[in-house]
Amino acid sequence: EVQLVESGGGLVQPGRSLKLSCAASGFTFSNYYMAWVRQAPKKGLEWVATISTSGSRTYYPDSVKGRFTISRDNAKSSLYLQMNSLKSEDTATYYCARTTEGIVDFDYWGQGVMVTVSS
Amino acid sequence: EIVLTQSPTTMAASPGEKVTLTCRASSSVSYMHWYQQRSGTSPKLWIYETSKLASGVPNRFSGSGSGTSYSLTINSMETEDAATYYCQQGSSYPFTFGSGTKLEIK
């Protein structure tokens, strides 16, 4: 059974940093692209970052480019999201998701972790 | 950026009623994916590559479309289908989602 378990969320002040983690199990982690998707309170879904199987390629939307960094440790079956220079508009539930290369969808999602950016 | 516009924003359907949700893309995409999100839970991939049902999805659901116009249809609404449905394109970066259709049971 595929499981994705996020951790590391919490309350952080604007301008500060936070690092999220996602522990994966139930599949061969190193064979899959991985991603982060977020959802602001009572809002829709927003793709945040994608990383290739080896970690050599990463992709971001303009809204987080230069502030967020996605990374992975295949030996630990773990995915990470380093978030710097946080803004109030980054407040959201962050989901770790397994994804694909090519026709990109997000086929498994974690339970999500809440990040609140507020002074 | 490809903008996805879903309609309606909200709707209510009676048990047994046929339901159609639509998603329009600002530019042509190769495929559309759909997610179901029940209240307080994570999204689930529901329909992928326009018309393929994800594992465990009842066959009363179907998907269709091409180019800039896609739809999700429920043949016969059931109470468990009440949820928000999002469309998503993975054809080009940045990947984008529609704003969702909230489907309620009447």
Side-chain angles (χ1 to χ4, degrees), chain B residues 6-88:
Chain B
Q6 291 188 243
S7 61
T9 303
T10 62
M11 70 172 294
S14 302
E17 186 177 345
K18 184 174 183 178
V19 172
T20 298
L21 313 181
T22 65
C23 177
R24 287 194 163 75
S26 59
S27 300
S28 181
V29 297
S30 303
Y31 294 94
M32 193 64 72
H33 313 298
W34 294 86
Y35 300 83
Q36 182 197 68
Q37 186 176 33
R38 294 194 177 114
S39 181
T41 68
S42 306
K44 292 181 180 177
L45 180 64
W46 211 243
I47 296 174
Y48 64 102
E49 295 175 20
T50 302
S51 60
K52 298 177 181 177
L53 301 186
S55 178
V57 174
N59 60 13
R60 62 180 177 274
F61 285 86
S62 63
S64 63
S66 65
T68 61
S69 185
Y70 293 84
S71 63
L72 177 157
T73 298
I74 307 172
N75 246 354
S76 179
M77 176 78 181
E78 296 198 8
T79 53
E80 66 182 26
D81 301 335
T84 300
Y85 293 85
Y86 295 94
C87 57
Q88 176 250 323

Side-chain angles (χ1 to χ4, degrees), chain A residues 104-116:
Chain A
V104 177
D105 60 29
F106 306 97
D107 61 354
Y108 287 94
W109 298 60
Q111 85 287 352
V113 63
M114 184 68 199
V115 173
T116 303

Side-chain angles (χ1 to χ4, degrees), chain A residues 5-6 13 16 25 28 43 46 49-50 59 80 92 94-95 112:
Chain A
V5 179
E6 303 93 337
Q13 293 178 329
R16 303 298 289 265
S25 61
T28 304
K43 299 292 185 183
E46 180 187 16
T50 290
Y59 308 87
Y80 307 100
Y94 285 74
Y95 296 101

